[in-house]
Amino acid sequence: MYEPSRGDRPTGAEAGEFVDVPETMPGDHDDPHPAIRSDEGVVTTVTRPDARDARLRVYLNDHRSGAAVGLAVARRCLGRNRGSMLGSELERIVADLQADAASLDEVMRGLAVTPDRVKRALAWAGERVGRLKLNGQLSGYSPLSRQLELEMLLAGIDAKRSLWRALASARVAAPDTVDYGTLIDRATDQRCRLVPHHERAAKDALATGAR
């Protein structure tokens, strides 16, 4: 087989005549506002959409959909437990959740984030389907139903508290009427008020009486 001698092999400079090798990889030094020069020599700056804004829109809409589901669960649980200590607490929780959702709406309006109504409708439909989950008996409201609803509420409150903390940490702008610290404290208070009722519901649903 013919093998070119050292003198026959192309040098890097010669190879460069045939291969267009970029000096930098794409994205290494991307200008967020690149300039484009037209044939007339006019330089135009092109502004690329900020990916962080897109992520923020998705994040806020996801949490707003979750807030709608949490409020629906709280109202359903309230309707099943009126006249009890849990029912009295749930009346306060429902009012709190409504206020929290309104605060999130204010944040979204201030940031010009359009509500994703399709996502919210899907979340609502998912909550309706979740009602079909077996609760240990053929019909009616069982102690297990109460326990599961309270667990869903606690999970939603934890997610909401994480939302407020994330927005505060990222220093996302909020209207003057919204204070992230106050909302974080309110979510913590909601959790503390519901935990004893969840523990009582677990005993009613799961305790066997055996020691």
Side-chain angles (χ1 to χ4, degrees):
M1 178 181 295
Y2 170 73
E3 180 179 354
S5 65
R6 182 180 301 273
D8 294 329
R9 294 176 183 170
T11 64
E14 293 168 342
E17 297 177 3
F18 303 98
V19 181
D20 185 13
V21 181
E23 296 181 359
T24 59
M25 293 298 291
D28 284 351
H29 303 289
D30 282 351
D31 187 346
H33 306 292
I36 297 179
R37 187 178 298 276
S38 66
D39 294 338
E40 292 79 12
V42 178
V43 177
T44 303
T45 300
V46 179
T47 302
R48 294 177 179 171
D50 193 332
R52 287 173 297 185
D53 290 343
R55 291 193 293 266
L56 182 60
R57 287 195 297 271
V58 171
Y59 183 68
L60 292 176
N61 269 300
D62 283 350
H63 273 280
R64 187 58 184 85
S65 299
V69 171
L71 186 55
V73 172
R75 285 171 172 162
R76 183 173 82 236
C77 192
L78 170 60
R80 299 286 191 168
N81 293 278
R82 289 189 184 277
S84 65
M85 293 180 61
L86 173 59
S88 298
E89 192 60 74
L90 285 170
E91 289 180 357
R92 296 175 58 198
I93 293 293
V94 167
D96 281 354
L97 296 183
Q98 289 173 326
D100 293 338
S103 294
L104 183 52
D105 286 338
E106 288 187 57
V107 172
M108 293 175 68
R109 280 194 297 270
L111 297 170
V113 173
T114 303
D116 190 330
R117 303 196 182 281
V118 173
K119 184 176 293 187
R120 198 173 301 183
L122 290 174
W124 181 85
E127 189 276 331
R128 292 282 171 170
V129 172
R131 297 185 183 191
L132 302 177
K133 185 180 184 302
L134 296 177
N135 59 8
Q137 61 187 46
L138 294 178
S139 63
Y141 188 77
S142 79
L144 185 58
S145 301
R146 182 181 301 110
Q147 179 194 348
L148 292 174
E149 287 172 349
L150 290 174
E151 287 181 0
M152 290 177 66
L153 283 176
L154 288 171
I157 289 170
D158 286 343
K160 178 176 58 181
R161 185 170 56 177
S162 295
L163 161 71
W164 302 133
R165 285 177 170 172
L167 296 180
S169 297
R171 303 193 180 200
V172 174
D176 293 339
T177 54
V178 175
D179 180 73
Y180 292 138
T182 299
L183 292 169
I184 292 169
D185 291 342
R186 186 159 69 188
T188 301
D189 179 65
Q190 292 166 9
R191 192 177 210 291
C192 291
R193 282 152 44 196
L194 277 184
V195 164
H197 294 284
H198 173 256
E199 293 174 349
R200 191 173 300 114
K203 291 177 182 178
D204 293 341
L206 305 177
T208 63
R211 296 294 180 184

